[in-house]
């Protein structure tokens, strides 16, 4: 049973436009949410996070929104750049859960076209 | 080093052989995770170590897989009698703890070990 779901395996966006990556979760007990970015042949790198007590966190071009009632979070990248092309993983932490508390979605491959 | 280090970066092995993959976490990080990513798939959790607690092994796919963490630092993932379906990138991550509740912070990943079983 997948607790963190990224239903779009891929997304294509024009350079300069907004990229919106979505993530849904099933466990209302999650305390913390993270986004990771992964280039081919590299390990995932941490991008941005949000605590479950907040609904928005912004860092430069990256903003994460959390809607707890809908169990949904999204990552907005504005403006998108070709260097943002990568696989983006949503992850959640449940303090007290199994799977090492850190549970990943299957990822969304973002392609930003010049 | 400043980051998570994994070795080897690439490993090609014959089916049926045993392999050992090594992870050096960030100094001071108490939590260590192993994941693997098969071609076209997401991150599959394997095992999690937290300090001196018993590891969470719930993600290990079979009893051919085992991992240990010596002295709360370096970890070794061992795959016995490798099969072709074990071919994947094996990723290690570590995280520290912060705040009054000692909660894990974000995990930092190594570059991974690409294992190919032929």
């Amino acid at each position: 049973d997948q607790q963190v779901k990224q239903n779009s395996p891929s997304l294509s966006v024009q350079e300069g436009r907004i990229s919106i990556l979505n993530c849904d979760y099933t466990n209302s007990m999650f305390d913390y949410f993270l986004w990771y970015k992964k280039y081919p042949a590299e390990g995932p790198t941490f991008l941005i996070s949000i605590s479950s007590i907040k609904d928005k966190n912004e860092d430069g071009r990256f903003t994460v929104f959390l809607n707890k009632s809908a169990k949904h979070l999204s990552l907005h990248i504005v403006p998108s750049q070709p260097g943002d092309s990568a696989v983006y993983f949503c992850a959640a932490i449940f303090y007290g859960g199994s799977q090492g508390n850190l549970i990943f979605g299957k990822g969304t491959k973002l392609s930003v076209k010049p | 080093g400043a980051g998570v280090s994994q070795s080897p970066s690439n490993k090609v092995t014959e089916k049926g052989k045993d392999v050992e993959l090594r992870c050096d976490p960030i100094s001071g990080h108490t939590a260590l995770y192993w994941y693997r990513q098969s071609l076209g798939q997401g991150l599959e959790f394997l095992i999690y170590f937290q300090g001196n607690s018993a590891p969470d092994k719930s993600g290990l796919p079979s009893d051919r897989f085992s991992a240990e963490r010596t002295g709360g630092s370096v970890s070794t993932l061992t795959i016995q009698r490798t099969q072709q379906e074990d071919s994947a990138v094996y990723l290690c991550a570590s995280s520290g703890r912060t705040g009054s509740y000692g909660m894990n912070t974000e995990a930092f990943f190594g570059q991974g070990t690409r294992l190919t079983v032929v």
Side-chain angles (χ1 to χ4, degrees), chain A:
Chain A
D1 179 32
Q2 239 185 307
Q3 296 190 60
V4 178
K5 301 177 184 178
Q6 294 177 258
N7 293 318
S8 298
S10 63
L11 174 68
S12 183
V13 171
Q14 204 67 32
E15 181 179 6
R17 298 291 188 99
I18 184 171
S19 294
I20 300 177
L21 297 130
N22 293 305
C23 179
D24 297 294
Y25 61 94
T26 58
N27 190 342
S28 59
M29 301 293 286
F30 283 133
D31 300 285
Y32 204 67
F33 302 90
L34 309 94
W35 284 94
Y36 283 82
K37 175 179 176 180
K38 186 180 184 302
Y39 293 117
E42 294 184 10
T45 54
F46 169 72
L47 195 56
I48 192 170
S49 62
I50 187 167
S51 165
S52 62
I53 63 172
K54 296 189 176 181
D55 55 19
K56 179 182 175 181
N57 187 27
E58 190 173 352
D59 183 2
R61 297 186 296 114
F62 302 92
T63 303
V64 56
F65 295 93
L66 176 62
N67 182 335
K68 287 194 72 176
S69 61
K71 296 192 182 69
H72 177 84
L73 69 156
S74 60
L75 174 67
H76 293 209
I77 307 173
V78 182
S80 301
Q81 299 173 354
D84 296 330
S85 297
V87 177
Y88 289 78
F89 291 98
C90 170
I93 293 179
F94 169 35
Y95 298 116
S98 63
Q99 290 197 8
N101 302 339
L102 185 57
I103 301 169
F104 284 86
K106 291 191 178 297
T108 297
K109 183 176 182 179
L110 174 66
S111 300
V112 180
K113 302 190 182 305

Side-chain angles (χ1 to χ4, degrees), chain B:
Chain B
V4 177
S5 177
Q6 291 187 246
S7 60
S9 55
N10 279 285
K11 176 74 176 177
V12 180
T13 190
E14 291 181 353
K15 178 181 172 182
K17 295 285 180 73
D18 297 352
V19 294
E20 284 190 351
L21 312 179
R22 178 187 167 104
C23 173
D24 283 273
I26 292 173
S27 177
H29 277 188
T30 57
L32 187 146
Y33 309 82
W34 282 99
Y35 293 85
R36 74 175 175 181
Q37 187 177 25
S38 303
L39 191 63
Q41 302 298 310
L43 294 175
E44 178 188 1
F45 167 76
L46 296 177
I47 190 169
Y48 162 61
F49 296 89
Q50 177 60 65
N52 296 321
S53 302
D56 177 353
K57 304 179 182 180
S58 60
L60 295 178
S62 77
D63 59 8
R64 296 187 294 105
F65 288 72
S66 62
E68 62 177 20
R69 188 179 184 192
T70 54
S73 181
V74 171
S75 176
T76 302
L77 177 69
T78 302
I79 309 173
Q80 296 178 310
R81 305 180 302 282
T82 52
Q83 303 295 312
Q84 287 185 328
E85 62 262 29
D86 299 335
S87 296
V89 176
Y90 288 81
L91 291 157
C92 174
S94 71
S95 69
R97 285 196 148 173
T98 190
S100 55
Y101 298 101
M103 297 174 180
N104 284 344
T105 61
E106 56 270 14
F108 295 88
F109 282 82
Q111 297 290 328
T113 294
R114 180 174 295 278
L115 175 66
T116 304
V117 182
V118 297

